[in-house]
């Protein structure tokens, strides 16, 4: 028995969601008296694998198959499930990235395991099975849920668990896995990179703006503030709908759900559908000229004021701070 | 082309979520239910495919009779027939098995889902159905075009999009972008009133998961207000939060 983590790499680099999943799995493993294994596809440098070990992987199973150089959901799911079966892993932890969410349900079916997604708590034993907490109703509720199955697949909500070092042996093992013809029916063609420099789902800080900015020509200050803070930019739905901003920046119920460390909302009213995508952010800063804007109810820090004055002043303050630190 | 669109019956997006006395389920009093907005992207794209190249569209929902009005809302957008599997949809694996059992008796070229239901936000059912039917699936699809037997899709990935080609039959889950939402017209709404909803007895399988408790997320401590000229203070707070 072990806990298996899907270690997702992008061109040989493991990213934050993988380290969150390993850090999380290490604590669960300690509580359950077992160890953490990782499964990775393709090739990565020794240094990259060492990084998995530092965050808790005692074994790293590498599936390096020519047909699986780029992500193919059904085939990756087969690979992960094959490793889980051969190593008798009872629990599979998958980061809640797009690719993670694509493979998880297929892995659960292959293992005939119970599945929970968007998990925010550690996994606790409950009878023969397990109990966890997860977010539900688009962040408007927290569900405590359990299963009596002894096998479990979870996706771990991004930013729900801090990255921590947890040095383990990190033995790298080549794992021979041959995908079936049916695993390979999807033919990936190409990746179209979003223009934004920092990916929204991975960003630690997000600067977001809405209809209060009046027009696309006014986004210069938003981008400047984001650059200074090393933040990603986001927007409300109507702003993407009228194409002031690209669609991939739209956050909320029907857009991307994010939970960064800091979310700065500028000229956004805070409609319930917008909050549904951002309200689990750790700290929410709201800048809005209307003291009655509903967003203030969800805010930690608020400034009632005109964005066209507050944002340039904030940019100056950040510059001043940076110059003196 | 035969298309199956699976829909879930969810509280309207503006609903204030409250729970029943036991804290185990949604308090449905006064709640308006709608077709999950992501499923509407799937329905709208199905309608476009039907207009462009012809298709027969089945709508499917796992639920008790209370979901019939929601099914009719979906038929009003597009639908030639509808099926309801008569069971409480308490668990994604259960729902997926019910859908897969039904789909096995038909031969759909395309099975469409929403990327997630906005009640339990699982993103589970589509991948599970695909695995149960041994079909390829593309989740978070932002476009699909079909040429003969071959589909070209884009799907959302972290930091961009990915283009994928696949032969039919296949399963997809709809992300925003797949189509513009359609508003049902009067003709559609009238037609939906009389279209039959076939009710099917569920297969007898267990639920794998149980809800123990639903709670509200912890309330915010309350907002600290700063004046418009106190941006230095805001930067101080941001630095304390580790943002600088
Ligand atoms: C099914 C459904 C799904 C939806 N999904 C989403 C979603 O995923 N994401 C989303 O964002 N929306 C979503 N919406 C839309 C949502 O209901 C709101 O309409 C939308 O979020 C409003 O966007 P906004 O705040 O930018 O614009 P507005 O509501 O117009 O608010 C603009 C704000 O800017 C402020 N303002 C104006 N001038 C200034 C100034 N000079 N300085 C500072 N502040 C100023 C105003 O006081 C106001 O609060 C959805 C709606 C539906 C029905
Ligand atoms: N009870 C249900 N009946 C039919 N389809 C469903 C049901 N629940 C969920 N679905 C479909 O599965 C998708 C994903 O749901 P979920 O995995 O619960 O997030 C939804 O967008 C629907 O397309």
């Amino acid at each position: 028995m072990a806990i298996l983590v899907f270690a997702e790499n992008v061109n040989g680099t493991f990213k934050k969601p993988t380290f969150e999943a390993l850090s999380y799995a290490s604590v669960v493993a300690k509580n359950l008296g077992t160890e953490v294994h990782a499964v990775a596809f393709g090739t990565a440098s020794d240094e990259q694998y060492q990084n998995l070990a530092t965050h808790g992987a005692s074994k790293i199973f590498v599936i390096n198959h020519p047909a699986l150089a780029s992500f193919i959901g059904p085939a990756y799911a087969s690979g992960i499930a094959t490793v889980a079966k051969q190593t008798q892993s009872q629990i599979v932890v998958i980061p809640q990235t797009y690719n993670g969410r694509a493979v998880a349900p297929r892995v659960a079916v292959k293992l005939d395991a119970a599945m929970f997604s968007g998990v925010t708590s550690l996994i606790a034993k409950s009878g023969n099975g397990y109990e966890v907490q997860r977010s539900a109703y688009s962040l408007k509720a927290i569900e405590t849920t359990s299963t009596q199955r002894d096998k479990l697949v979870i996706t771990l909500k991004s930013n729900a668990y801090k990255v921590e070092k947890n040095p383990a042996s990190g033995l790298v093992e080549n794992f021979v896995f041959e995908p079936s013809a049916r695993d390979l029916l999807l033919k990936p063609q190409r990746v179209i990179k979003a223009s934004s420099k920092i990916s929204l789902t991975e960003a630690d800080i997000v600067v977001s703006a809405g209809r209060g900015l009046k027009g696309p020509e006014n986004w210069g200050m938003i981008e400047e503030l984001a650059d200074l803070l090393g933040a990603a930019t986001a927007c409300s739905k109507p702003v993407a709908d009228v194409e002031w901003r690209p669609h991939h920046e739209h956050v909320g119920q029907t857009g991307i759900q994010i939970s960064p460390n800091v979310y700065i909302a500028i000229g956004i009213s805070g409609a319930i559908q917008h909050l549904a995508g951002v309200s689990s952010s750790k700290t929410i800063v709201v800048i809005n000229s209307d003291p009655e804007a509903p967003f203030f109810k969800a805010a930690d820090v608020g400034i009632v004021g005109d964005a066209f004055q507050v944002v340039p002043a904030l940019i100056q303050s950040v510059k001043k701070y940076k110059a003196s630190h | 082309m035969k298309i199956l669109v699976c829909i879930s019956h969810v509280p309207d997006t503006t609903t204030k979520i409250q729970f029943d006395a036991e804290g185990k389920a949604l308090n449905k009093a006064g709640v308006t239910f709608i077709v999950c907005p992501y499923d509407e992207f799937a329905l709208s794209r199905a309608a476009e495919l039907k207009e462009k190249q012809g298709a027969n569209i089945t709508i499917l929902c796992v639920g008790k009779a209370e979901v019939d009005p929601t099914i009719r809302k979906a038929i009003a957008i597009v639908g030639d027939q509808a099926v309801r599997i008569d069971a409480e949809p308490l668990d994604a694996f259960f729902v997926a098995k019910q859908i897969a059992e039904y789909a096995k008796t038909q031969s759909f070229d395309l099975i469409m889902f929403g990327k997630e239901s906005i009640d339990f936000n699982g993103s589970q059912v589509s991948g599970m159905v695909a695995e149960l039917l041994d079909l390829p699936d593309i989740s978070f699809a932002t476009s699909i075009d079909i040429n003969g037997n071959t589909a070209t899709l884009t799907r959302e990935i972290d930091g961009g999009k990915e283009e994928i080609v696949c032969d039919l039959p296949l399963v997809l889950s709809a992300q925003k972008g797949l189509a513009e939402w359609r508003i049902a017209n009067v003709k559609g709404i009238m037609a939906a009133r009389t279209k039959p909803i076939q009710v099917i007895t569920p297969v007898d399988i267990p639920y794998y998961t149980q809800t123990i408790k639903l709670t509200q997320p912890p309330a915010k401590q309350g907002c600290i207000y700063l004046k418009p000229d106190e941006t230095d203070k805001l930067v101080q707070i941001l630095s304390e939060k580790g943002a600088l």
Side-chain angles (χ1 to χ4, degrees):
Chain A
M1 140 93 177
I3 298 181
L4 183 66
V5 172
F6 170 40
E8 183 186 354
N9 72 64
V10 180
N11 302 322
T13 307
F14 298 100
K15 296 248 188 100
K16 188 171 151 213
T18 291
F19 297 116
E20 286 175 357
L22 284 170
S23 308
Y24 170 89
S26 301
V27 179
V28 176
K30 203 173 285 164
N31 292 347
L32 301 182
T34 178
E35 57 181 30
V36 178
H37 298 165
V39 52
F41 293 81
T43 50
S45 65
D46 288 346
E47 198 190 334
Q48 286 289 327
Y49 292 133
Q50 183 54 45
N51 222 348
L52 298 183
T54 311
H55 291 90
S58 63
K59 276 188 189 160
I60 300 158
F61 298 101
V62 176
I63 296 175
N64 188 9
H65 190 285
L68 301 180
S70 36
F71 178 80
I72 299 175
Y76 275 43
S78 285
I80 296 166
T82 306
V83 174
K85 279 184 193 157
Q86 279 193 26
T87 58
Q88 287 170 357
S89 302
Q90 301 289 98
I91 299 176
V92 181
V93 175
I94 296 178
Q96 206 183 28
T97 58
Y98 284 101
N99 288 348
R101 289 162 80 185
V103 295
R106 298 195 77 124
V107 173
V109 171
K110 283 178 193 286
L111 299 178
D112 198 18
M115 177 179 166
F116 298 125
S117 57
V119 170
T120 55
S121 75
L122 293 172
I123 297 167
K125 267 288 203 194
S126 159
N128 294 326
Y130 309 96
E131 182 179 311
V132 297
Q133 289 188 345
R134 55 183 300 278
S135 66
Y137 290 99
S138 308
L139 310 176
K140 289 186 266 185
I142 295 169
E143 184 194 22
T144 305
T145 174
S146 74
T147 180
Q148 288 309 308
R149 309 280 311 162
D150 61 351
K151 287 201 202 91
L152 178 64
V153 173
I154 68 156
T155 62
L156 178 68
K157 195 170 160 66
S158 300
N159 283 332
Y161 205 84
K162 263 218 306 290
V163 174
E164 285 166 344
K165 296 228 156 116
N166 227 314
S169 46
L171 205 66
V172 177
E173 227 174 85
N174 188 38
F175 189 94
V176 180
F177 164 71
E178 195 55 49
S180 73
R182 291 209 60 82
D183 283 339
L184 298 173
L185 294 175
L186 301 182
K187 312 281 179 213
Q189 305 294 302
R190 63 196 177 109
V191 167
I192 308 151
K193 273 222 158 59
S195 54
S196 55
K197 290 160 221 155
I198 298 168
S199 135
L200 247 183
T201 43
E202 287 166 21
D204 205 40
I205 311 168
V206 174
V207 178
S208 186
R211 217 148 51 173
L213 282 219
K214 314 284 191 271
E217 67 280 5
N218 295 326
W219 249 264
M221 61 180 187
I222 301 300
E223 285 178 345
E224 187 180 356
L225 179 61
D227 273 349
L228 279 170
L229 296 172
T233 48
C235 68
S236 65
K237 179 172 185 290
V239 161
D241 286 346
V242 296
E243 297 188 347
W244 293 357
R245 296 298 292 173
H247 279 280
H248 61 77
E249 280 197 1
H250 156 200
V251 291
Q253 178 111 60
T254 43
I256 297 177
Q257 280 98 47
I258 54 173
S259 48
N261 194 15
V262 177
Y263 183 73
I264 305 178
I266 301 165
I268 302 176
S269 57
I272 199 159
Q273 296 96 350
H274 186 86
L275 296 180
V278 303
S279 64
S280 67
S281 307
K282 297 252 158 59
T283 300
I284 295 179
V285 179
V286 171
I287 300 170
N288 195 304
S289 53
D290 175 8
E292 303 293 319
F295 222 141
F296 286 115
K297 289 209 176 68
D300 299 283
V301 184
I303 296 183
V304 179
D306 181 355
F308 295 99
Q309 278 157 18
V310 177
V311 176
L314 179 56
I315 288 171
Q316 289 317 314
S317 296
V318 175
K319 283 185 178 161
K320 206 165 75 191
Y321 177 94
K322 286 196 150 181
S324 63
H325 283 79
Chain B
M1 184 163 56
K2 276 182 75 177
I3 302 178
L4 177 68
V5 186
C6 297
I7 62 160
S8 65
H9 159 89
V10 294
D12 178 84
T13 55
T14 56
T15 306
K16 282 231 156 49
I17 299 297
Q18 281 163 337
F19 314 114
D20 65 6
E22 271 186 276
K24 285 198 176 196
L26 180 75
N27 177 359
K28 294 182 186 169
V31 173
T32 311
F33 282 84
I34 58 167
V35 178
C36 174
Y38 295 108
D39 307 350
E40 280 201 45
F41 291 129
L43 288 166
S44 301
R45 187 63 190 140
E48 292 169 1
L49 290 170
K50 179 171 170 153
E51 283 161 9
K52 221 174 88 191
Q53 48 213 86
N56 180 282
I57 295 166
T58 304
I59 288 167
L60 171 61
C61 184
V62 180
K64 304 298 281 184
E66 61 180 359
V67 308
D68 284 349
T70 301
I71 295 178
R72 295 216 187 272
K73 283 182 202 161
I75 306 175
I77 299 171
V78 64
D80 296 294
Q81 57 273 323
V83 175
R84 177 166 65 80
I85 301 176
D86 190 27
E88 284 283 359
L90 295 180
D91 164 69
F93 215 146
F94 175 89
V95 169
K97 283 176 180 164
Q98 302 296 345
I99 294 173
E101 283 305 314
Y102 169 74
K104 274 179 199 160
T105 67
Q106 311 284 317
S107 46
F108 294 110
D109 301 292
L110 181 61
I111 305 183
M112 300 171 95
F113 294 86
K115 80 151 183 175
E116 68 183 42
S117 60
I118 63 167
D119 47 8
F120 285 93
N121 313 100
S123 291
Q124 289 173 242
V125 175
S126 61
M128 287 177 170
V129 169
E131 181 63 37
L132 290 164
L133 295 174
D134 195 17
L135 288 177
D137 75 305
I138 293 176
S139 39
F140 315 112
T142 51
S143 74
I144 177 168
D145 289 294
I146 296 174
N147 196 341
N149 194 39
T150 304
T152 304
L153 299 96
T154 51
R155 72 179 274 263
E156 185 118 23
I157 56 173
D158 289 292
K161 279 183 187 157
E162 177 190 22
E163 190 181 290
I164 298 172
V165 166
C166 184
D167 284 346
L168 302 177
L170 74 92
V171 172
L172 72 75
S173 80
Q175 168 68 309
K176 179 186 173 239
L178 191 72
E180 290 295 326
W181 280 330
R182 291 198 168 200
I183 296 167
N185 57 27
V186 176
K187 199 170 138 238
I189 295 168
M190 296 305 283
R193 284 194 189 156
T194 53
K195 293 229 172 95
I197 298 176
Q198 186 194 350
V199 180
I200 295 185
T201 311
V203 286
D204 187 17
I205 45 171
Y207 295 113
Y208 276 9
T209 63
Q210 293 83 34
T211 298
I212 295 175
K213 195 169 68 198
L214 285 163
T215 51
Q216 310 277 358
K220 284 273 173 189
Q221 294 299 316
C223 183
I224 304 169
Y225 282 97
L226 301 177
K227 298 208 181 64
D229 59 4
E230 291 181 312
T231 49
D232 283 350
K233 240 188 202 165
L234 176 54
V235 170
Q236 194 54 45
I237 296 174
L238 291 178
S239 78
E240 282 158 21
K241 305 284 180 197
L244 274 156

